[in-house]
Amino acid sequence: MRDLIYTAFMSLDGVVDSPGGGPGEEHRSGGWVVKDIEFLPEAFALKGEELAETTALMFGRRSYEAFAPTWRDSQDHAAYKDLPKYVVSSTISEDALVEGWGQTTILRSTTDVSKVKEGEDGAIFIHGSAELARRLSDARLIDRYNLLVFPVLLGAGKSLFSDADRDRQMLRLRESQGYPNGVVKLLYDVVG
């Protein structure tokens, strides 16, 4: 069984919306990861550590459309180029997929995601894609959360977790570390 891992930059109040800023993210809090918090390379080391474990990437449609054209040509994301990619969307068409960024498969439902997880090909990482993460969490398909929690309260934005009335789900802390700039790394396995 493949692990499905959601990785995110998150504000202390659970917002994962527009952490980097840039085009399409011009709201009042866009860019909160880089605006007011001292950059410490060790606080971001998790992103490099994840790469060793990543065998595929998964995105919702909007995150795919934002990341694919940029990451395809980015030296910082060169290791992702040849990894298999999954786009979970009921609306994206094959001709909307970005050429030259490796094999990309469209999944139309959480049932399709569940079938991909049944394979033996290693961990699948979800970047961005807050709406997809909420849907997969509610369907109990996420196996781990890799979070970098930033010392900021945004008050509004996309939340990592839905407000659906559902049964309790327990998490087990796999690893944690705090950094002098206030960022905290939290890695949780979903256990129930």
Side-chain angles (χ1 to χ4, degrees):
M1 188 74 116
R2 301 178 83 172
D3 282 339
L4 189 56
I5 301 164
Y6 183 72
T7 180
F9 298 142
M10 185 173 85
S11 69
L12 188 59
D13 56 348
V15 174
V16 293
D17 187 30
S18 300
E25 300 179 347
E26 290 88 7
H27 61 76
R28 67 186 171 115
S29 295
W32 52 269
V33 165
V34 295
K35 280 186 179 172
D36 300 314
I37 298 167
E38 176 189 4
F39 176 77
L40 295 177
E42 61 270 25
F44 293 89
L46 172 63
K47 304 320 282 175
E49 295 164 8
E50 289 174 342
L51 189 55
E53 191 179 359
T54 302
T55 63
L57 300 172
M58 184 175 288
F59 303 95
R61 179 189 53 82
R62 282 189 290 264
S63 290
Y64 175 79
E65 290 172 347
F67 294 156
T70 303
W71 286 11
R72 177 191 62 194
D73 302 323
S74 165
Q75 287 302 322
D76 290 340
H77 299 90
Y80 292 152
K81 189 168 188 166
D82 294 325
L83 289 174
K85 290 146 195 94
Y86 299 97
V87 181
V88 183
S89 171
S90 61
T91 59
I92 197 168
S93 62
E94 290 285 337
D95 63 335
L97 298 178
V98 173
E99 291 186 28
W101 201 42
Q103 172 195 345
T104 304
T105 303
I106 298 172
L107 305 176
R108 298 291 183 195
S109 67
T110 55
T111 301
D112 291 343
V113 174
S114 184
K115 288 177 184 172
V116 168
K117 282 187 54 153
E118 292 172 5
E120 298 295 328
D121 297 329
I124 303 167
F125 279 76
I126 303 170
H127 294 267
S129 310
E131 291 176 37
L132 173 63
R134 286 192 300 272
R135 194 166 76 226
L136 296 179
S137 178
D138 287 348
R140 298 196 175 249
L141 292 174
I142 294 186
D143 300 292
R144 188 165 85 216
Y145 294 95
N146 285 4
L147 305 173
L148 288 178
V149 180
F150 286 73
V152 62
L153 301 172
L154 298 175
K158 291 180 186 172
S159 174
L160 173 55
F161 301 104
S162 77
D163 58 3
D165 183 8
R166 63 179 199 167
D167 291 337
R168 177 179 55 211
Q169 192 169 36
M170 297 301 296
L171 306 175
R172 179 178 42 244
L173 184 64
R174 173 186 282 238
E175 184 180 340
S176 66
Q177 183 166 356
Y179 301 96
N181 62 356
V183 173
V184 178
K185 173 174 72 173
L186 296 171
L187 278 55
Y188 286 105
D189 291 312
V190 177
V191 294

